Amino acid sequence: MIATKLKLRVYGDPCLRRKSAPVSNIGPAERMLISSMIKTMYDDDGVGLAAPQVGINQTIFVVDIGEGPVAVINPKIVKKIGKVTQNEGCLSVPGVTVAIDRPQQIRLHYLDENGHEQEGDFADLKARVIAHEMDHLDGKLIVDHVNPADRPKVIQKVEAKLKVMTNDKIQNSK
Ligand code: NI
């Protein structure tokens, strides 16, 4: 089995807005998906990628926060401490960064790619990336953290960026 780069879903794709379902069985198909998600994350220079971003509405995400790739399945945040506001971007929402409050520290329960239960404490950037990927599993995007008055302007920027990206793709395929 060879991991393949998956098509990244972008703002406007309904997959990004659905609530993902828990994974009931972790087998070869799920591990293959995880390998392909990791490849997709690296190819797109991301630090995290959630399954809805590749069109799969299952509660899986992958992250690499400087310690190699980690797969997280059926995660639950069981503890949050503190609050930090920082700018955040998203591969599926290009062209903007949004200031978002995230816990400074979280404790996460999850299953790894072998179906083993794991618990970990994560702080700072790690906590932020995980909270961001958890949002994806709930169908939530960074633009939803923008106050309603400023949101249309931010969405306009995203749509303009997507248009440029689509045009570039058409140019490159000619
Ligand atoms: Ni994202």
Side-chain angles (χ1 to χ4, degrees):
M1 288 195 296
I2 296 167
T4 46
K5 186 176 193 297
L6 304 167
K7 184 174 177 271
L8 186 75
R9 306 300 177 100
V10 293
Y11 188 81
D13 190 304
C15 278
L16 293 172
R17 288 312 199 174
R18 285 186 201 121
K19 197 169 163 53
S20 287
V23 180
S24 51
N25 176 58
I26 303 170
E30 287 70 29
R31 282 189 282 275
M32 186 71 233
L33 169 65
I34 286 165
S35 301
S36 295
M37 283 173 64
I38 290 167
K39 181 173 170 51
T40 307
M41 172 176 73
Y42 288 143
D43 281 3
D44 289 329
D45 293 323
V47 291
L49 188 78
Q53 293 182 274
V54 292
I56 308 285
N57 285 111
Q58 292 189 325
T59 54
I60 303 176
F61 64 77
V62 295
V63 292
D64 185 345
I65 330 162
E67 287 163 13
V70 176
V72 172
I73 302 162
N74 298 351
K76 262 196 184 71
I77 293 177
V78 294
K79 198 175 174 185
K80 299 181 188 180
I81 302 170
K83 191 177 87 174
V84 183
T85 309
Q86 216 180 301
N87 276 334
E88 221 171 273
C90 177
L91 291 176
S92 293
V93 188
V96 294
T97 57
V98 174
I100 300 177
D101 294 343
R102 298 288 191 193
Q104 188 270 328
Q105 208 180 311
I106 58 171
R107 178 165 296 165
L108 192 72
H109 277 190
Y110 61 100
L111 300 176
D112 64 20
E113 68 275 23
N114 297 310
H116 297 143
E117 283 193 36
Q118 302 284 349
E119 183 184 276
D121 289 315
F122 302 92
D124 304 317
L125 179 65
K126 293 175 192 184
R128 175 168 298 276
V129 173
I130 289 167
H132 176 112
E133 302 312 327
M134 297 288 288
D135 268 1
H136 276 301
L137 303 183
D138 285 331
K140 195 169 178 182
L141 298 172
I142 55 173
V143 294
D144 303 339
H145 290 272
V146 178
N147 69 66
D150 295 333
R151 206 174 294 156
K153 229 175 14 196
V154 173
I155 290 171
Q156 226 169 43
K157 263 193 195 169
V158 174
E159 284 170 343
K161 178 69 178 175
L162 285 170
K163 214 170 177 178
V164 170
M165 287 166 68
T166 308
N167 288 340
D168 284 352
K169 224 177 257 173
I170 293 167
Q171 272 322 107
N172 288 337
S173 64
K174 270 181 188 166

